[in-house]
Amino acid sequence: MLDTKLLTFVQVAKYKNYTKAAHALNLTQPAVSQHIKKIEEHYGCRLIIIDGKTVTLTEQGKLLYSYANFQLANEKQLIDQIKRVETSIKIGSTLSIADYYLPDYLSAYLSDSDEVISVSVKNTEMIIDMLLNNELSCAFIEGIFDKSLFHYFEFQNTKFLPVSRKGHPLENSKVNISDIHEYPLLLREKGSGTREIYENFLYETNDSLLSVSKIHEISSFSIIKNILKKSDAVSFMYEEVAKEEVEKGELCYLNIKDFLINRPLYFIYFDLSI
């Protein structure tokens, strides 16, 4: 930040008039005169000569005016750089949303914006922690969160479905959840939104993951889907996540009795007013 006395000097040199400089700076004329006196004392020379109503710069004043304008240009450039950093948007997203929903939203946004963004992909629990620690500007999440802590709105509603390979022994049958338990289950890690949804479903039906014959924790949906194609394992995910593979005939949605889950996906940001 440039010294206010130097800014006053620039305005006097620009307008060649103390009254106009005072008006531009929202100062009194005596204050302007005092600033010029102080800056001349600092540099130990006359910078401005007043002859009647005429204000002219001495040779030293011309040098200082050139220097001050150079510094003002540097200051403006620095402020612009700082603003670009400050206005960069740090976005958090859960994996399902980041891979299968977020690209469309970001593409539309970036085409109309000059702002810089960064995206962190974590599970729901970690994204919430990052928001609360002011490490993110906003987030796209699934699963359960404390709505009293955030501003939020639902940007998508999607089906949550059991998925297996095409030709799985349970395909084309209406099965019980206990039948699913007989097959290896591929789940995201603890703290993920999709895992939490499935665990809550089991809890509400007086069941739990303890009933499952074998559980494999895998943090990547790409890996989960590739394993599903080559095994009798079962997984649970949003409809959009498996849509392409289902349309290609590589995967299918299983039909479980009394299993009907539609989940909202949320855009949230931390409410700093609480």
Side-chain angles (χ1 to χ4, degrees), residues 105-157:
Y105 286 93
L106 289 185
S107 297
Y109 174 78
L110 292 176
S111 64
D112 296 323
S113 174
D114 294 328
E115 291 180 299
V116 176
I117 66 167
S118 63
V119 179
S120 297
V121 181
K122 308 284 184 181
N123 63 41
T124 300
E125 186 177 289
M126 295 175 71
I127 290 294
I128 294 295
D129 285 343
M130 290 177 74
L131 272 169
L132 293 174
N133 289 325
N134 295 319
E135 296 173 28
L136 297 173
S137 308
C138 57
F140 294 83
I141 70 164
E142 60 203 85
I144 298 169
F145 64 97
D146 187 346
K147 294 180 179 178
S148 68
L149 294 178
F150 302 95
H151 288 306
Y152 63 91
F153 66 84
E154 180 183 323
F155 72 91
Q156 182 90 24
N157 195 285

Side-chain angles (χ1 to χ4, degrees), residues 68-111:
N69 279 308
F70 178 74
Q71 291 301 103
L72 283 170
N74 285 339
E75 178 84 353
K76 183 179 182 302
Q77 184 179 33
L78 176 60
I79 290 172
D80 289 341
Q81 291 174 343
I82 289 173
K83 284 182 178 179
R84 282 197 293 272
V85 172
E86 287 182 342
T87 57
S88 65
I89 301 177
K90 297 179 180 180
I91 301 172
S93 178
T94 55
L95 183 62
S96 301
I97 296 174
D99 285 350
Y100 301 97
Y101 297 92
L102 193 57
D104 288 341
Y105 286 93
L106 289 185
S107 297
Y109 174 78
L110 292 176
S111 64

